[in-house]
Amino acid sequence: MAKRTQLLLLLSLIVLLLFPISSALSSNAVINAAEILSNSGFVSMALTLELVSPTILTPQQQSATIFSPSDAAFAQSGQPSLSLLQFHFAPLAFSLESLRSLPFGTKIPTLSPGNSLIVTTIDNSQQVLLNNVTINGSPIFDDGSLVVFGIDMFFDPNFKVSSPAQSPSPDLRCVVSEAAEITSSGGYSFDEASRMMRTRGYSVMASFLDMQLLGFLDRSELTVFAPIDDVMLEFAGNFSAYSSLLLRHVVPCKLTWTDLNNFQDGTVLRTFLDGFTIRISKFNDLLMLNEVPLTFPDMYFSDWLVVHGVHEVIEQPETPEQVPQASSEFGLEEEEKEEKLTPDRTEF
């Protein structure tokens, strides 16, 4: 009976893969966003987006968040320069909830080289402020890869904060807490997360979680790095690869985008796949996981689970010996590091 159920789940996954699924950032998304901007009273940005998007949003751009100034801001400031417009484009897809979760002082990368937006939201505020400019509520447009928010004025590229607050560093050891074991009887499931992932174009990884190939419900906290559907098509029907694909993209601890940003370059996280580690690095404030950019931070988060979107399958570097060992911040003696970085299957 169990084998039959598993077979039906696998067949369901194949059927899922045969249907059209969401793609990465496309010209159609830009056209649709411009139309909705125009209909929502952001005519100046709609016209500007149509003109400059081929320059700003290159074919390599896989996701973006656009912060659209109002028509009044355009009337007051005049036509902005290309560099100022780039400052209003982030190479990440942010939901309103993920923006709200970012602490004061967090830097958000933009498409303006070397320039980042700074979160200036006051604690416990429902409003989100970037460079002291208020984000006007829910997105005007959101298709999972392209998100557009409205703002009342242009961001100031010269904005600075004197001493941004630092969030506490996360547990760098990423060790599952045995004292807070989660079981299926505890009512934990991936249903809510998988529903969110399906609406964002991450249906294949959502199906993997729904199948619960290795019984993750007995884990206390998890972080999932979910590849977008487009890049998962090549694995359709290759059942033997499913477990490996899932395990290498799941880390046995809860890490938000802010937590990941607090890691030092070269920090190595262990995953549920034996011998597979993820090295964190940064490039222009963009987080890289084994050189794969994290493109949709905090797509979903709860008190025990965080899901981030990526546009590529995370692979192990060709020369693992060149991957730096985890720093001394792991709080381990040198002889203990190798043991901790290699997953102990008894813990899982």
Side-chain angles (χ1 to χ4, degrees), residues 3-280:
K3 289 184 178 180
R4 181 181 178 185
T5 301
Q6 185 178 33
L7 178 59
L8 289 174
L9 287 170
L10 291 174
L11 290 174
S12 298
L13 180 58
I14 295 174
V15 171
L16 169 69
L17 292 172
L18 294 177
F19 283 93
I21 50 182
S22 299
S23 61
L25 194 59
S26 66
S27 58
N28 285 337
V30 174
I31 292 172
N32 293 336
E35 181 178 354
I36 293 179
L37 274 169
S38 181
N39 294 336
S40 302
F42 292 80
V43 178
S44 298
M45 190 61 176
L47 295 173
T48 300
L49 182 59
E50 291 177 341
L51 290 172
V52 304
S53 61
T55 301
I56 295 181
L57 299 174
T58 64
Q60 292 74 36
Q61 190 66 45
Q62 299 169 326
S63 60
T65 299
I66 301 174
F67 300 99
S68 171
S70 64
D71 285 350
F74 273 88
Q76 181 178 356
S77 302
Q79 186 61 35
S81 65
L82 181 62
S83 61
L84 180 58
L85 285 172
Q86 289 175 316
F87 192 56
H88 291 73
F89 287 67
L92 303 168
F94 281 103
S95 66
L96 180 61
E97 292 74 18
S98 61
L99 287 175
R100 280 177 176 159
S101 72
L102 302 179
F104 184 94
T106 300
K107 289 185 177 181
I108 294 177
T110 72
L111 297 184
S112 176
N115 292 314
S116 299
L117 294 168
I118 301 174
V119 176
T120 51
T121 306
I122 301 173
D123 289 345
N124 301 320
S125 173
Q126 288 300 304
Q127 292 185 319
V128 176
L129 281 78
L130 305 178
N131 287 27
N132 277 349
V133 174
T134 301
I135 307 303
N136 296 336
S138 300
I140 300 169
F141 177 85
D142 181 0
D143 73 347
S145 290
L146 178 62
V147 185
V148 182
F149 290 96
I151 53 178
D152 291 332
M153 64 184 70
F154 284 92
F155 293 129
D156 178 5
N158 298 315
F159 178 84
K160 304 289 184 184
V161 291
S162 55
S163 55
Q166 296 296 322
S167 300
S169 294
D171 178 7
L172 297 182
R173 283 175 288 186
C174 262
V175 175
V176 176
S177 170
E178 296 180 359
E181 184 174 338
I182 296 174
T183 64
S184 55
S185 60
Y188 286 81
S189 77
F190 294 101
D191 290 349
E192 186 176 283
S194 64
R195 284 196 298 270
M196 169 67 74
M197 293 165 68
R198 292 177 194 282
T199 65
R200 302 289 185 173
Y202 298 84
S203 298
V204 178
M205 199 66 175
S207 295
F208 285 168
L209 292 179
D210 287 339
M211 291 163 65
Q212 296 175 20
L213 296 178
L214 294 179
F216 279 137
L217 288 182
D218 63 353
R219 304 293 74 165
S220 60
E221 294 184 338
L222 301 173
T223 299
V224 177
F225 300 108
I228 200 166
D229 286 340
D230 283 359
V231 301
M232 299 293 279
L233 285 173
E234 62 183 281
F235 299 98
N238 184 7
F239 301 158
S240 62
Y242 290 172
S243 292
S244 171
L245 275 174
L246 177 62
L247 292 175
R248 78 171 78 168
H249 289 92
V250 183
V251 173
C253 56
K254 177 186 171 186
L255 296 172
T256 65
W257 188 61
T258 301
D259 293 330
L260 293 167
N261 265 311
N262 284 337
F263 284 127
Q264 293 184 353
D265 269 18
T267 298
V268 177
L269 303 176
R270 66 190 183 94
T271 71
F272 280 91
L273 181 61
D274 282 337
F276 192 96
T277 57
I278 294 177
R279 179 182 181 272
I280 297 175

